[in-house]
Structure formats: structure tokens, C-alpha cells
Amino acid sequence: MGKSSKSIGIEIILILSIIATLYLSYHIENKISLQKEKQIKEEHLYKEKVSLLKEKEKELEKVNATIQEYENIEESIESKKKEYFSHIKELESKILNGESNEKIAYLTFDDGPYYNTYQVLDILDQYNVKATFFTISMNGEYCYDNKSQNCFLLYKEYVKRGHTIANHTYTHGIRTGLYSSVNSFIDAVNRQEEHVKSQTEGYTTNILRFPGGSSTAKGLKNEMINALKEKGYGWVDWTAGNGDGGRLDSLEQAWGNLKNTIDSNVEVILFHDYSWMTTAMLPEVIEYLRNNGYQLYPLFYESDMVHK
Ligand SMILES: [Zn+2]
């Protein structure tokens, strides 16, 4: 007897269900392994993202540190300057009190910026000398030379090369009413102060030299000095010079003037950067002063040579 059709039916069902089970389990396993793969990929991606983020964070930290450093540059320049001037001040006091045999000469240049100023600056750089520039602005308005479009650009050079910028009034108008009243004088001082500030992005000067010297202010001198004091300014004349503000017939004459006026251990030496004679003799002047024991420094408000 053959199998009954019923049992055949059952066998078929069994076989089919085995096939179905196998098929399903294969599919499920496949799905699970796909999911695992996906999970691993996602984990990997996540890790990558985290490490990228960490790198970005590090970069950002570096950028922030640079910004911080940049923001502190001005402060650190200011503190270095203060330190530098306090050393000079200490030396100057010792010399003036007779406790030191050293010597200081403050080279000062009036009435610039002007055509010759670049040359003066280059000579000073060559000898590593820092000086003081008593600036006006009337000349600069009409001043052009081959290195700069306009002499006003020199204000930035003074700062860049480490010199002291001082105030000599905007107009230098000895014959055009500068000294006719305290107000007209202080106006010209304020105008120059603002001009220096705007040309240098913030340099503030608080040292002044009267155009023509303080005696030129005559009867109003003391009132003007008081007005300067109120502004926090000190002022300075000079103790030596080569006479380049007046008529000079020869370099010999200029040398004679200079040597005759240098007679103390702290000197404030008057020059003008418009004088070709001064520019011509400047390298030798620096050598002469150094050979005679002078250290050359820029002026600063606290110096005893600056009257307060
Ligand atoms: Zn002058």
C-alpha cells in the first residue's frame, strides 16, 4: 500500500515549513549581521566626528591663544617701554647726583616730519640710536619724497623704529599768533597731539618744546607752562646744539658750535631734521658722542631734563 494522500500532505507541509524556517532564519541572520555592520559603521563615523570635533576644539584654543597674545602685545610693549625708561631714569639720577661718571646725550630733532627725516631715521637705525622728534605738521602737509607719498606717513615710522614723538605745536607759528594768547598756544598743542594720535593709531605725546624755545613765549611763558601742566605735559629746551636752526656757513662752523656747547654729563642736543648739514654730519656726531662716553637715549616724561 502506498502512503495515504493525507500523510503525503503532512510531509509536504513539514518540508515546506522546514524550508520556510530555514529561509526565515537565513533572512533574520542576514538582517542581524547587516544591522551589526550598520551599527559598527555608525560607531566608526561617530568616533570620527568626535575626533574631528576635538581637533577643531584644539584649533579654536590655538586661535584664542593667539588672539589673547595679540591683545596683550600693546600692554607688553608699554610695560617694556616703562622698564626701559625707568633704567635710564635711574642712570640719569645717579649722573646728576654725581654718583656715576657715565654720560647721557638725548638727541632731539625739531620741525619734522620733513624731506630729510627718512635719511635721519636710517642713520639712527644704522647706529642703533633712539632719539626724540619734536614734530609739527605744517611742513608735512606739503612734503613728499621718494620713499613715502606724504611725510605724514613718517609718524608711523617714528613709532615703528622706537623713537619718542614729542609735540612742537601744529603750526610752529611764532610769527602767526602762536604766542599771542595762552588759548592760541594750547590750541596748537592740542591740534598736534590729535594729529599724532590719528597718524599713529593712538600714540600719545606728553613732552613739548616751545617753537623757538620757551623764552620766545615771553610774558606768557609761565601761564603757558601752567596750562601745559594741567594737560599733563612736561616741556624741554636744550643744552647743546650745532646751530642748525640759524644760519650756518660751513660744517666746520656747525662742528664748532656743537663742541662748544657740549660741556656736561647729561645733554639735550638740538637738531632740525630739515638741515642737510645735520644729516651730513650725523654719523660722525654719533661716533663723536660715543667716543666721548655718551650713551644716546630717547627722551621720556620722567626725565629730569623734562620740566614739569
Ligand atoms: Zn622749531
Side-chain angles (χ1 to χ4, degrees):
M1 286 275 296
K3 285 183 181 170
S4 71
S5 61
K6 196 183 172 187
S7 77
I8 289 171
I10 290 168
E11 274 176 13
I12 288 170
I13 288 167
L14 267 172
I15 289 165
L16 280 176
S17 61
I18 287 167
I19 289 171
T21 310
L22 281 173
Y23 179 79
L24 271 176
S25 72
Y26 169 76
H27 251 274
I28 288 167
E29 247 175 59
N30 214 14
K31 219 178 174 183
I32 288 172
S33 82
L34 274 175
Q35 253 173 355
K36 263 191 188 164
E37 239 174 73
K38 205 179 158 196
Q39 206 177 338
I40 289 167
K41 266 189 193 165
E42 273 173 5
E43 265 172 31
H44 190 71
L45 268 174
Y46 176 74
K47 275 183 190 163
E48 259 181 20
K49 272 188 187 166
V50 167
S51 79
L52 259 175
L53 268 175
K54 277 189 180 160
E55 261 174 47
K56 283 257 156 69
E57 253 172 46
K58 270 185 196 165
E59 272 172 36
L60 201 67
E61 268 170 31
K62 269 188 206 167
V63 170
N64 280 336
T66 313
I67 289 172
Q68 194 69 32
E69 220 173 89
Y70 182 76
E71 280 173 351
N72 291 339
I73 276 178
E74 272 184 31
E75 254 174 58
S76 81
I77 290 174
E78 274 311 304
S79 75
K80 289 245 163 68
K81 247 168 122 181
K82 263 191 191 165
E83 205 183 303
Y84 174 63
F85 286 139
S86 82
H87 282 307
I88 307 172
K89 168 77 183 166
E90 208 178 305
L91 175 65
E92 188 192 63
S93 300
K94 277 186 188 163
I95 297 169
L96 293 172
N97 295 334
E99 294 160 24
S100 167
N101 291 324
E102 294 185 62
K103 294 175 183 177
I104 295 175
Y106 298 105
L107 300 189
T108 68
F109 296 88
D110 286 12
D111 299 2
Y114 207 53
Y115 300 102
N116 287 14
T117 306
Y118 260 114
Q119 229 179 312
V120 171
L121 287 173
D122 287 347
I123 295 167
L124 294 176
D125 273 357
Q126 204 184 315
Y127 284 86
N128 196 18
V129 173
K130 308 293 178 213
T132 307
F133 290 85
F134 287 89
T135 59
I136 63 173
S137 291
M138 288 305 275
N139 288 336
E141 271 183 52
Y142 314 105
C143 172
Y144 292 85
D145 69 13
N146 55 1
K147 273 198 180 176
S148 70
Q149 289 179 310
N150 184 303
C151 288
F152 284 162
L153 293 176
L154 280 157
Y155 283 106
K156 279 204 179 84
E157 286 297 314
Y158 295 137
V159 178
K160 213 167 86 185
R161 303 193 196 199
H163 302 294
T164 293
I165 303 180
N167 195 324
H168 199 39
T169 78
Y170 192 92
T171 59
H172 205 279
I174 299 172
R175 286 174 199 86
T176 52
L178 177 70
Y179 293 130
S180 62
S181 72
V182 176
N183 275 347
S184 64
F185 171 70
I186 292 296
D187 276 353
V189 175
N190 287 340
R191 237 180 121 193
Q192 182 60 7
E193 182 182 300
E194 284 308 313
H195 192 68
V196 169
K197 224 182 255 178
S198 71
Q199 295 294 324
T200 56
E201 288 155 19
Y203 187 100
T204 43
T205 92
N206 57 356
I207 302 171
L208 175 120
R209 176 174 282 150
F210 288 85
S214 59
S215 60
T216 319
K218 293 182 182 150
L220 289 173
K221 178 178 163 175
N222 286 335
E223 266 182 74
M224 286 172 181
I225 286 171
N226 285 337
L228 285 175
K229 218 182 271 180
E230 266 173 45
K231 279 178 57 60
Y233 263 76
W235 61 277
V236 58
D237 280 332
W238 56 90
T239 61
N242 64 351
D244 66 356
R247 186 197 157 111
L248 280 176
D249 293 322
S250 64
L251 278 170
E252 289 70 34
Q253 193 189 353
W255 271 108
N257 290 340
L258 185 69
K259 288 179 181 173
N260 282 339
T261 49
I262 289 175
D263 53 11
S264 44
N265 290 347
V266 180
E267 297 280 9
V268 177
I269 307 181
L270 172 67
F271 295 116
H272 293 83
D273 24 347
Y274 60 67
S275 163
W276 71 264
M277 274 208 201
T278 290
T279 314
M281 67 195 280
L282 189 55
E284 281 164 81
V285 169
I286 292 167
E287 282 167 21
Y288 173 81
L289 290 168
R290 283 185 169 158
N291 289 340
N292 282 281
Y294 285 94
Q295 299 172 39
L296 309 178
Y297 292 120
L299 272 172
F300 51 100
Y301 179 80
E302 292 79 10
S303 164
D304 268 17
M305 306 310 278
V306 177
H307 306 288
K308 264 84 67 178

